[in-house]
Every structure is written in structure tokens, then in C-alpha cells.
Amino acid sequence: MSLTNALPADVAKAAKLASHTLATLPTSARNDALTAIHSALSQSKDEILAANARDLELAKKAAENGELSLSIVSRLDLGKKRKWEDMLKGILDVRDLEDPVGKVTLRTKLDDGLNLEMVSCPIGVLLIIFEARPEVIANIASLAVKSGNAAILKGGKESTESFVAISKVISAALESTAVPNTAIQLVTTRDVIPQLLDLDQYVDLVIPRGSNELVRYIKSSTKIPVLGHADGLCSIYLEHTADPDMAVRVIVDSKTSYPAACNSVETLLVEEAALETLLPPVADALLAKGVSLRCDASSKSSLTAKLSAHSSAILQDAEDSDFDTEHLSLVLAIKTVSSNTEAISHINTHGSHHTDAILTSSAPLAEQFMSSIDSAGVFWNTSTRMADGMRFGFGTEVGISTNKIHARGPVGLEGLMIYKYKIRGQGHITVEYGEGEGQKSFKHEKLEL
Amino acid sequence: MSLTNALPADVAKAAKLASHTLATLPTSARNDALTAIHSALSQSKDEILAANARDLELAKKAAENGELSLSIVSRLDLGKKRKWEDMLKGILDVRDLEDPVGKVTLRTKLDDGLNLEMVSCPIGVLLIIFEARPEVIANIASLAVKSGNAAILKGGKESTESFVAISKVISAALESTAVPNTAIQLVTTRDVIPQLLDLDQYVDLVIPRGSNELVRYIKSSTKIPVLGHADGLCSIYLEHTADPDMAVRVIVDSKTSYPAACNSVETLLVEEAALETLLPPVADALLAKGVSLRCDASSKSSLTAKLSAHSSAILQDAEDSDFDTEHLSLVLAIKTVSSNTEAISHINTHGSHHTDAILTSSAPLAEQFMSSIDSAGVFWNTSTRMADGMRFGFGTEVGISTNKIHARGPVGLEGLMIYKYKIRGQGHITVEYGEGEGQKSFKHEKLEL
């Protein structure tokens, strides 16, 4: 890894060149580099934590002046709890994942002696822009090396000292490996981002990791494909045949287990027929957890009749905008719908195509919901918060994508891969194939992988 | 299919709505629609050819005035040779392909009663912009219906009458099927294109089919992903151990079998050690086919010494720009390189990442070439013109992509698909999983597909 003040075009060009070397390295060379990074960081704990302490001190001052939130200060602290250990363990976890490079996913005998293979390979150059948490840099560098992609990294300015310290250690560690130093480059000034976002001849994919605002800014500022999601407006449709206890459990988990997460539920659609039976206990449980309920007229009048005076007094009226808002806090918008069809139409129109769930005892309704909802995750009788690469068993998570091409939903290492077609022939030429007299036909036999 | 003069935003919104219906239709419904389109077109041959004749007449006049090339006029003629029959047969060919929708590509038991599935589904709304050939509209409409994608089509203005006639017939045919009429919409005026390219909230993928200029314009004018390639600057590296006869065959096929194709070779890199042995017979064969050879100094001096006076007199000097140009004609740039490494570096820098080939008897060199070249197709001892969806056995070709994400190389129906994750649970919630006391672990068992 190199820490660079070079011109953005030179950074990107160097990354592209490094990507060509990286793409040809065997599994062992990439894994060895990860081992080297891991031990170098282990040995440099003191100097990195000292750099981190300098970041923390500046951040605390900024917080005292009201320029930075305390939650950001807290996320900066690399010495906190098991953060340092988790960061180091994460490098080895990524190293030990299955190699995504060089997988043959199609093998066809086009003709005798003429074989086609579709082989996975790295995308090339990733531009990864992330916010405060300093441990992210080690995770991202690991994912890039493991997947054979070169990466240009830009972290949040609050962690600059930590990033620079980590970057120097990683850079020195790579010197002794087959991975080129320019495979991972750290840029430290924000003003280079617009220029990097313009370099689509060198940069193949942008991955923003941070706030909705960051992702929205990136998506609107580049022609390079962006992997990620700006919004996570997830909905749950509560159908009247759902098991009542299950409904309470799943909705409470979806709303309250981590309200700031993108996979938390923001809108509850209640079937009219469930207003008086299923909704009241759900509402009671949510209110007990401190959730503000913003209800449409039908759900409010139904709840007002069923809940205690105290509970019904704190119900709020939903405005139209509540059904288009990702609150990211203990707020839930509740809307009454007449049917599965209306629920589907509402979600496809107002949702963010991230993750949506149906709670029902009816398999046909659930299947209809799952095939009709145009979202990355469509769940039946489980929490929207299940949408997560680790929970899916991917071993890591590059991000959650709401894109309609390439990678959708929680993205593992496969999201950093593309493929190429190799043909091995023996002088075969195209003019010999065709429907004319004496011409050959392709055999197109599927071969075993 | 509807022929529309509606506002672009309304067209795109209607397409999005139709895509949600289309995505839920079973295989049989989509196939039945293709059968209906086929028979309706068969029955309407006379009126469509009459419309086509009106296009032809206008085009011929334009050609007489020098406003249109004769080759465009010739491509307009739907009555020519087997064009009409091939167009109709193409619809049934697409119908009979394997259904790309609903394929389960991953199935994981997350926990007892909690199963994850990754299921292929249509991307959503395609915007397909193509040039003159009127039969393309039937092919594209078939691909969209088969893959469950809604499509907005814009064809070249020279074929307007033909398109409108075909569109009306397809529209009437869809009335009797489950495919919504707005699933395929034809727009006829060019001025709506910039507006459609802006509607990234509705349009998921743009597919331009036509000249480099068209593709370049589209790519530079939209944030919507574009599937395709602007350039096809393919190279062949002739290494000195290549079989001489094979070299002649493959290079002649790559250059002359269809010089205007994107997969034709434009640059021949010759290893220094092959200049006096392999290059002369290759050059002789190419000159005999009328190919202009633009040589660097080394290859020219070597050829001048070896070829007849007549042949060497017609050799041309290459300029630097020749190695960055897709000639699309009987012109070949020839450059001398010292090694595989130099050939790789030249191709990765000057090529268009489309298709490149090495001719050699050395398997290690060929494997090194194929893993190092950053192109969609990397071939050993076969013609670059093998890069083609039909030759690959895909049954159809949506286009050839030089993108680094989603789909690369010749793209079949799979390129029009994405996936969603379905989870079927029994009230599972996330807070029960973790490393704390009494918490559960995910099982992550791979299940059979």
C-alpha cells in the first residue's frame, strides 16, 4: 500500500497497471500478502494506537465545539473493546475464504480441439470511499488483495492519522510480497475525489461505504458503476392469517434491534382484516420499546379503540412523506391496505428495493409477494434485518446493493469479480463453419466443470 | 407492444409497471406470447412488406441525393433473400431457449426452518436503441418477452414505416396474451432519447445496437448502465513457435472474413524472432486478400527483404495512431515486440479489452497471455472472430460487452437477468443469533439446487 499525494490520474493509472499484475498472482501469493499485513499490523499496535489517539483528541475537541457528534468520536476509537483484535482477525478471516479468482463456471466443447471456458477474474480497479471508522481500511485492503483487485482508498478525514499509520505499515509489509505496492493506494485529501470519479478509463467500480448522503453524492457524480445503496426503506406486510406471536417478534426485531441500519423496517403495511386482531399487540410491543408510531387514519382509529388510553395518546398521525422516508430511528409508519396486491404495489412504488417481508400463514400469498416485489431481498416470516452478508453465510460483506445489474442484495467477494472467456484451439477458423456445402457445425457440448 | 407518442416519463413509468407484471408470468405465458407474435407477423407479411417498401423508396431517393449510403439501403430491405423467414424463425428460436427466469443458483439452510435462495429474475426495464435493420425489432421484442423484461425500443428513422407496421401487429397479438401491452413500447422520434436516458429511476439498462458512434454517444449521455462496446480493437500476438500454416489461416480469417465486425483483428504483434520465418507467408496471404499492411520499421524491413518486389512495394508505414485505431476495413497494423510480456503490455494499453489472441505452440506462454490480458475474450490458436454468442452456443446474442461488471464478452439471455434473495422462515429474528450466552449460531448448510 502506498500513501500518495500523486495526481489522481497517475494514482489511477498506477492502480490499473498494478491490477494487471495482481490478476495473475496465484492464490498463495495473495494469501501470503494478507498474512504479512496481519503480522505487520500486530507488531505495530503501539504506533497505530498512538496515531489513533491523536485523531481521537482532535475529534473530542471538535465534539466539544459542537462540530462533530459524539457517536462519530466513539466510532473512531481503535482501542475500544475488541476493535483492534477484531480488525486483525478480520484479515485472517478474509484470507481463509475460498479464492474467488479462476473459478471455471462454464466449459463448452465448441468443436473437436476447440474448447471454451468462462473463468472468474478480478474486476480491475476499485475506488473505495468510506467514512470515519479506521478499522475499515484493513478490511477493505484485505478484500481487495484477496479478490485480486487493485484499490484506491479514501477514508474520512477524522481518521487521517490512523489511516496514514495503518497505510505505512501495510505498505512496508507488502514490500516483501508479490503484491505490487501500488495495488492499494491511500489518498488523503478530499479534493481528489471528483477527479477520481471522472477517471472511468482506469477505475472500474466505486464502492462508497458510509451515510446515505455520501452514497447519493457519489452516485450522482460519476459514470463509473457504483456498488451500494443510498436508501433502505424496508417494509413489512402484515397479513391477517399471520401467527400473532410471530408477528410481534419479527416486527419488533425488524424495527428495534438496530434502528439506524439500512435493513431495519420503516413502513408497516397492515391488512384491513388484521387491524383489530394482529395490529394492537404489535403496536403495544413497539410502544413499549419506545417506537413512535405514525399511523394512517384507519390504523389509528383501530388502535385507539383497542389500546390503553395512555398508549393511544402517544399515537401520531402519519403524513404522506412518512411513507417515503427512511427514518433510521425508532419511528415506524403504519398504513392500512386492502390486500396483498395493494401491499405489493405500495412497496414497489414507495420502497427502495432493498428488503421487504410478508408475515402470513398462506404459502401462495407469500410466494406471490416474493415474486412480485422488485427488491433485492424478499422474505417470508422473518426479520428484514436478516439481509446481511454474514447472516447469509458469505463470510464477509462488501456492501448491500440495490443495483439491478451485476450484484444485488448483500454482496460477498463474488461482487468484486467478473469473468473472461478463454478459448483454446488448434487453428480453428470461422469461415469453415456454416450451413453451406462442406461447412462444419459447432458441437456445443457442455463439459464437466 | 404499443406505439407511443406519450411523454418519455410516462412511457418509462408504464414500462416499469408492466415489468412488475411481466416478472411474475410463468414460462408458458411468455412463450405463448412469442407464439402469438410469430403467427400474427406471419399473417401480416403483405402489409409489413408494403410498409417496408415505402421505407425503401425514401431511402433510395436519399441515396440518389447522396444523403444515405447504399449499404444502409440494402440492409433496410425486409424482402431480401431469406430475411423475412429468418426474422420469423428467430422468434421461435428465442421462444425455445431455456427459460432464464426463476433459476435457483444458491440454496442455503441458514437455520432449521430458515432457508435462503438466490433466484434469477428479470432486470426490469430495458431501453434498446438500434439503427437501420428493421428485422431487429422482432428479435429484440422476443428477447425482452422471453427474459421477462419490459422494453422501450427506438429504431433508426430510415425504418420508421416498417417498425410502425411491425409494432402494430405485435401490439394486436399481445392483446390476447398475458403479457401487458406496455411491456414493449416503440418510440419513434429521436428527440425523446436524451429524456429517456435521464430516467434512471425507471430504466435499468440501456442496450445500444449500432455503430461505434451510437454507442459512444449513449455511454457519454447517461448514468444508466449501458451494455455494449464502443470499440473492438482486437490484436493477435504471433509468437515464433506458432505453426506456420495455422498462423496464416487464423490471421487471414481474423482479418478478412468480415472486416467491419467488432471481433476482426486490427493489430498484429509479431515476435522479433518470428519476423523472418512466420511473418512473410502471413503477409503474402493478407496482401493476396487485398489487405493493406501498415508496418513498423522492423517488420517492414524484414518483409521488404523477404517478399517479392511487387508485394514489398505496397507495404505501408504505420503511424502511432494506427495502433489505436479500429479500422473496420481491410487494414492491418503490424508491430514488432520482443516478448510475450511486451505483447501483453501493448494490448492492455492500446486494445479495447474486447478479444485478443495468441498464436504459439507453447502452452505456458499461452496461459500467461490468457491470464494477463485484460479482455473479455482471450484466445489461443483460434480466430478472434470466434467471439460471438451463436458460436459460443448461447442460442442468441444480446450484444458483446466490454464492461467490467455484470456481463462481459458475447452476452446471451443471462445478461438480461439479475437475481433476488428469498428467505422463507418461521418467525426467526436476528437478536437470537450471536456469540452471547444462550444465543444461537447460523448453520449455513449448502443445500442441493
Side-chain angles (χ1 to χ4, degrees):
Chain A
M1 175 183 292
S2 59
L3 170 66
T4 181
N5 290 310
L7 290 174
D10 294 334
V11 170
K13 200 171 172 180
K16 185 61 109 185
L17 278 174
S19 79
H20 293 147
T21 303
L22 202 49
T24 64
L25 294 181
T27 315
S28 58
R30 284 174 279 119
N31 286 351
D32 289 350
L34 293 178
T35 307
I37 290 174
H38 176 265
S39 47
L41 287 174
S42 307
Q43 285 158 29
S44 311
K45 181 175 178 180
D46 293 347
E47 69 194 72
I48 293 170
L49 289 187
N52 184 238
R54 293 194 293 277
D55 280 334
L56 263 177
E57 199 172 329
L58 273 178
K60 278 176 188 157
K61 276 190 197 142
E64 279 163 20
N65 301 336
E67 293 158 7
L68 208 62
S69 74
L70 281 172
S71 72
I72 289 187
V73 177
S74 143
R75 276 184 284 162
L76 279 183
D77 188 355
L78 257 184
K80 209 175 72 172
K81 271 204 288 186
R82 295 185 36 80
K83 232 182 195 183
W84 176 260
E85 291 71 25
D86 284 351
M87 179 182 98
L88 287 182
K89 181 171 176 295
I91 299 168
L92 300 186
D93 286 348
V94 168
R95 180 195 65 187
D96 297 338
L97 291 172
E98 194 185 344
D99 187 4
V101 182
K103 285 188 181 176
V104 178
T105 49
L106 180 88
R107 187 172 273 142
T108 308
K109 179 182 182 170
L110 301 182
D111 196 359
D112 295 324
L114 187 71
N115 289 315
L116 172 73
E117 268 182 8
M118 185 182 188
V119 189
S120 70
C121 61
I123 288 177
V125 176
L126 315 176
L127 170 61
I128 306 177
I129 300 171
F130 50 106
E131 292 180 330
R133 298 180 298 137
E135 71 277 18
V136 168
I137 190 173
N139 172 249
I140 285 172
S142 308
L143 292 172
V145 170
K146 179 76 187 184
S147 63
N149 285 288
I152 303 167
L153 311 180
K154 169 70 184 74
K157 70 174 189 312
E158 293 81 9
S159 305
T160 300
E161 293 265 354
S162 316
F163 286 142
V164 169
I166 293 174
S167 163
K168 282 183 182 158
V169 172
I170 294 182
S171 181
L174 288 183
E175 286 297 341
S176 63
T177 74
V179 171
N181 204 276
T182 46
I184 312 281
Q185 296 177 84
L186 177 72
V187 295
T188 51
T189 56
R190 179 170 292 193
D191 57 325
V192 300
I193 295 183
Q195 297 170 65
L196 287 168
L197 290 175
D198 251 0
L199 293 166
D200 58 337
Q201 70 271 46
Y202 298 122
V203 178
D204 299 301
L205 185 65
V206 184
I207 307 181
R209 299 208 349 185
S211 67
N212 303 17
E213 288 68 36
L214 175 74
V215 180
R216 237 178 258 124
Y217 160 71
I218 305 280
K219 287 204 172 194
S220 67
S221 312
T222 186
K223 285 193 185 311
I224 306 170
V226 178
L227 193 148
H229 65 279
D231 299 295
L233 204 170
C234 304
S235 300
I236 293 180
Y237 171 47
L238 178 60
E239 196 265 349
H240 81 278
T241 64
D243 177 83
D245 292 343
M246 191 269 296
V248 171
R249 284 161 54 85
V250 170
I251 295 168
V252 167
D253 187 78
S254 300
K255 183 69 247 179
T256 70
S257 59
Y258 188 4
C262 62
N263 55 10
S264 291
V265 67
E266 303 289 356
T267 297
L268 177 65
L269 300 169
V270 184
E271 193 190 10
E272 222 161 352
L275 278 181
E276 306 212 337
T277 50
L278 298 177
L279 182 59
V282 167
D284 255 339
L286 290 168
L287 290 171
K289 288 273 191 176
V291 179
S292 299
L293 302 181
R294 305 215 176 143
C295 306
D296 71 344
S298 301
S299 61
K300 193 176 179 198
S301 93
S302 163
L303 286 176
T304 304
K306 290 277 180 176
L307 297 187
S308 67
H310 170 75
S311 293
S312 58
I314 56 176
L315 296 174
Q316 301 168 1
D317 290 314
E319 295 178 22
D320 285 352
S321 63
D322 282 312
F323 300 103
D324 295 306
T325 304
E326 183 183 11
H327 295 100
L328 290 169
S329 62
L330 286 176
V331 173
L332 182 69
I334 302 181
K335 186 185 169 82
T336 311
V337 295
S338 60
S339 65
N340 203 21
T341 310
E342 194 185 337
I344 290 165
S345 162
H346 177 95
I347 294 171
N348 279 340
T349 311
H350 296 269
S352 65
H353 314 290
H354 186 297
T355 303
D356 302 288
I358 181 172
L359 308 181
T360 178
S361 298
S362 159
L365 284 181
E367 296 301 330
Q368 188 195 6
F369 181 91
M370 290 191 287
S371 40
S372 302
I373 294 287
D374 183 16
S375 294
V378 283
F379 297 176
W380 176 22
N381 290 350
T382 189
S383 170
T384 54
R385 298 220 51 248
M386 288 289 176
D388 174 281
M390 297 305 287
R391 293 183 181 126
F392 278 18
F394 296 165
T396 188
E397 185 180 279
V398 173
I400 296 188
S401 161
T402 52
N403 294 355
K404 299 295 289 283
I405 66 161
H406 189 62
R408 194 183 194 198
V411 181
L413 275 181
E414 281 70 22
L416 304 183
M417 310 309 293
I418 184 68
Y419 52 82
K420 54 168 71 171
Y421 288 102
K422 296 184 180 178
I423 300 185
R424 298 178 180 86
Q426 297 173 359
H428 295 73
I429 57 176
T430 59
V431 294
E432 294 187 340
Y433 297 86
E435 304 197 343
E437 210 185 293
Q439 286 193 292
K440 299 193 282 182
S441 294
F442 288 103
K443 298 195 168 174
H444 294 149
E445 283 171 29
K446 273 200 181 177
L447 301 177
E448 272 193 41
L449 297 178
Chain B
M1 175 183 289
S2 60
L3 171 66
T4 181
N5 290 310
L7 291 173
D10 294 333
V11 170
K13 200 171 173 181
K16 186 59 110 181
L17 278 173
S19 79
H20 292 147
T21 302
L22 202 49
T24 65
L25 294 180
T27 315
S28 57
R30 284 173 280 120
N31 286 351
D32 288 351
L34 293 177
T35 308
I37 290 172
H38 177 265
S39 48
L41 287 173
S42 307
Q43 285 158 30
S44 310
K45 181 175 179 181
D46 292 347
E47 69 193 73
I48 293 170
L49 289 187
N52 184 241
R54 293 195 293 275
D55 280 332
L56 265 177
E57 199 171 329
L58 274 178
K60 279 178 188 157
K61 276 190 195 143
E64 280 163 19
N65 301 336
E67 294 157 6
L68 208 63
S69 76
L70 280 173
S71 71
I72 290 187
V73 176
S74 143
R75 277 185 284 161
L76 279 182
D77 188 354
L78 257 184
K80 207 175 73 173
K81 271 203 289 183
R82 295 185 36 81
K83 233 183 196 184
W84 175 262
E85 290 71 25
D86 285 348
M87 177 181 100
L88 287 183
K89 180 171 174 296
I91 299 169
L92 299 186
D93 287 348
V94 168
R95 180 194 67 187
D96 296 339
L97 291 172
E98 195 185 344
D99 187 3
V101 182
K103 285 187 181 176
V104 178
T105 49
L106 180 87
R107 186 173 273 141
T108 308
K109 179 183 182 172
L110 302 182
D111 196 359
D112 295 323
L114 186 70
N115 290 315
L116 172 74
E117 268 183 6
M118 186 181 188
V119 189
S120 69
C121 61
I123 287 177
V125 176
L126 315 176
L127 170 61
I128 306 174
I129 301 171
F130 49 106
E131 292 180 330
R133 296 180 300 137
E135 71 277 19
V136 169
I137 191 172
N139 173 249
I140 285 172
S142 307
L143 292 171
V145 169
K146 179 75 187 185
S147 63
N149 285 288
I152 303 167
L153 311 180
K154 170 68 183 77
K157 70 176 188 311
E158 294 79 8
S159 304
T160 301
E161 294 264 352
S162 315
F163 286 143
V164 169
I166 293 174
S167 164
K168 281 183 183 161
V169 171
I170 295 183
S171 181
L174 288 183
E175 286 297 341
S176 64
T177 75
V179 171
N181 204 276
T182 47
I184 312 280
Q185 296 176 85
L186 177 73
V187 295
T188 51
T189 56
R190 178 169 293 193
D191 58 326
V192 300
I193 294 183
Q195 299 171 66
L196 287 168
L197 290 175
D198 251 0
L199 293 166
D200 59 336
Q201 70 272 46
Y202 298 122
V203 177
D204 299 302
L205 185 65
V206 184
I207 307 180
R209 300 211 346 188
S211 68
N212 303 15
E213 288 68 36
L214 175 74
V215 180
R216 237 178 259 126
Y217 159 70
I218 304 278
K219 287 205 172 194
S220 68
S221 312
T222 186
K223 285 191 184 311
I224 305 169
V226 178
L227 193 148
H229 65 279
D231 299 297
L233 204 170
C234 303
S235 299
I236 292 180
Y237 171 47
L238 178 59
E239 196 265 347
H240 81 278
T241 65
D243 177 84
D245 291 342
M246 192 269 297
V248 170
R249 284 161 53 84
V250 169
I251 295 168
V252 167
D253 188 78
S254 299
K255 183 68 247 178
T256 69
S257 59
Y258 187 6
C262 60
N263 54 12
S264 290
V265 68
E266 302 289 356
T267 297
L268 177 65
L269 300 170
V270 185
E271 194 191 9
E272 224 162 350
L275 278 181
E276 306 211 338
T277 50
L278 298 178
L279 183 59
V282 167
D284 254 339
L286 290 167
L287 291 170
K289 289 274 192 176
V291 179
S292 299
L293 302 181
R294 305 215 176 142
C295 306
D296 70 345
S298 302
S299 62
K300 193 175 180 198
S301 92
S302 163
L303 285 176
T304 304
K306 291 275 179 175
L307 296 186
S308 68
H310 170 75
S311 291
S312 58
I314 56 176
L315 296 175
Q316 302 169 2
D317 290 314
E319 295 178 22
D320 285 351
S321 64
D322 281 313
F323 299 103
D324 295 306
T325 304
E326 183 183 11
H327 294 100
L328 291 169
S329 62
L330 285 176
V331 173
L332 182 69
I334 302 182
K335 185 184 171 82
T336 311
V337 293
S338 60
S339 65
N340 204 19
T341 310
E342 193 185 338
I344 290 165
S345 162
H346 177 95
I347 294 171
N348 280 338
T349 309
H350 296 269
S352 64
H353 315 289
H354 187 297
T355 302
D356 302 288
I358 181 172
L359 308 182
T360 179
S361 298
S362 159
L365 284 181
E367 296 300 331
Q368 188 195 7
F369 181 91
M370 290 191 285
S371 36
S372 302
I373 294 286
D374 183 17
S375 294
V378 283
F379 298 174
W380 176 23
N381 288 351
T382 189
S383 169
T384 54
R385 298 219 54 249
M386 287 289 176
D388 174 279
M390 298 304 286
R391 292 181 181 128
F392 277 18
F394 296 165
T396 188
E397 186 180 278
V398 172
I400 295 188
S401 162
T402 52
N403 293 355
K404 297 296 286 286
I405 66 162
H406 188 63
R408 196 181 192 198
V411 181
L413 274 183
E414 282 68 23
L416 304 183
M417 310 308 294
I418 184 69
Y419 52 82
K420 53 167 73 171
Y421 288 104
K422 296 183 180 179
I423 300 185
R424 298 178 180 88
Q426 297 173 0
H428 296 73
I429 58 177
T430 59
V431 293
E432 294 188 339
Y433 296 86
E435 303 196 344
E437 210 186 293
Q439 287 193 292
K440 299 193 282 183
S441 293
F442 287 103
K443 300 196 166 173
H444 294 151
E445 284 171 29
K446 273 200 179 177
L447 301 178
E448 274 193 39
L449 297 179

